[in-house]
């Protein structure tokens, strides 16, 4: 399975691609889609959409994992991120890529084993799990890889959660 993990934003969209299944996976590529702050917002959204279409075409993921929107206190920022997230979801939908959403708590639990892990702890565990020499930069790319790891860990239980038991899925019945 190939999973595209995404950390959505309107200035930086981190991405990370993993191949494998369960706890056996390897990084394929990671990086960031960036937009310039002086650019008209609608043009930034168009740029994100176009770059997402290219990324989806190039990496051909079997699934996309993206962070659910987390609201803190800045309404202006959360609305802009939601709009960027919308064009990302649209690009995936048009490409026929299944979309899976995870909360920050789910990602922390899946990657670091602790739901209250710090950002640095999650990034360090991401580095270790992927056997990388250093934490990927920008931070958004590391976060996106953590998102992909979370989906890899979750995908196994998702496959067995469709009304059949694990033994039925494995062909025992």
């Amino acid at each position: 399975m190939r999973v595209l993990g995404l950390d959505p934003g309107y200035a930086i969209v981190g991405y990370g691609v993993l191949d494998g299944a369960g706890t056996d996976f390897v990084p394929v590529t990671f990086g960031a889609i960036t937009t310039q702050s002086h650019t008209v917002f609608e043009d930034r959204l168009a740029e994100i959409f176009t770059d997402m279409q290219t990324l989806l075409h190039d990496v051909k993921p079997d699934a996309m994992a993206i962070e659910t929107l987390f609201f803190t206190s800045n309404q202006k920022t959360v609305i802009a991120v939601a709009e960027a997230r919308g064009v990302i979801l649209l690009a995936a939908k048009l490409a026929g890529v299944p979309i899976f959403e995870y909360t920050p708590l789910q990602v922390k639990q899946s990657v670091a084993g602790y739901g209250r892990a710090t950002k640095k702890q999650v990034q360090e565990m991401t580095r270790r799990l992927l056997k990388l020499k250093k934490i990927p930069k920008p931070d958004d790319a590391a976060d996106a890889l953590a998102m992909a790891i979370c989906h890899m860990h979750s995908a196994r239980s998702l496959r067995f959660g469709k009304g059949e038991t694990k033994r039925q899925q494995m062909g025992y019945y």
Side-chain angles (χ1 to χ4, degrees):
M1 170 183 354
R2 177 166 283 187
V3 175
L4 169 61
L6 290 173
D7 182 26
Y10 58 90
I12 301 173
V13 176
Y15 66 85
V17 180
L18 301 179
D19 274 347
T23 58
D24 184 27
F25 40 77
V26 295
V28 175
T29 189
F30 55 86
I33 294 170
T34 59
T35 63
Q36 299 300 314
S37 61
H38 65 274
T39 305
V40 175
F41 187 72
E42 293 79 8
D43 291 341
R44 292 173 92 171
L45 292 177
E47 189 175 335
I48 291 168
F49 180 75
T50 301
D51 288 352
M52 275 303 304
Q53 286 182 307
T54 300
L55 180 63
L56 289 161
H57 177 267
D58 291 349
V59 302
K60 296 174 180 45
D62 299 306
M64 184 179 87
I66 188 168
E67 189 174 59
T68 57
L69 197 54
F70 181 71
F71 178 73
T72 53
S73 59
N74 190 336
Q75 282 187 327
K76 184 177 181 185
T77 300
V78 78
I79 290 170
V81 172
E83 291 173 340
R85 199 171 171 279
V87 300
I88 292 167
L89 294 174
L90 177 60
K93 179 67 177 170
L94 292 175
V97 177
I99 301 163
F100 297 87
E101 299 181 50
Y102 299 97
T103 66
L105 180 70
Q106 288 173 304
V107 175
K108 291 175 182 182
Q109 182 68 41
S110 179
V111 175
Y114 177 59
R116 298 202 185 276
T118 66
K119 187 176 185 87
K120 288 296 177 197
Q121 288 171 323
V122 174
Q123 289 175 347
E124 177 57 24
M125 281 305 299
T126 297
R127 183 197 69 76
R128 288 181 185 188
L129 288 169
L130 298 178
K131 299 173 181 70
L132 300 171
K133 292 182 181 179
K134 55 187 176 179
I135 294 172
K137 294 294 178 191
D139 288 351
D140 308 80
D143 296 345
L145 286 167
M147 185 66 55
I149 291 169
C150 178
H151 182 70
M152 286 289 200
H153 287 164
S154 299
R156 183 165 186 235
S157 61
L158 288 171
R159 281 197 310 271
F160 297 125
K162 301 290 186 205
E164 294 181 316
T165 66
K166 183 174 180 180
R167 294 179 63 80
Q168 287 169 321
Q169 286 277 341
M170 295 176 76
Y172 291 116
Y173 295 105

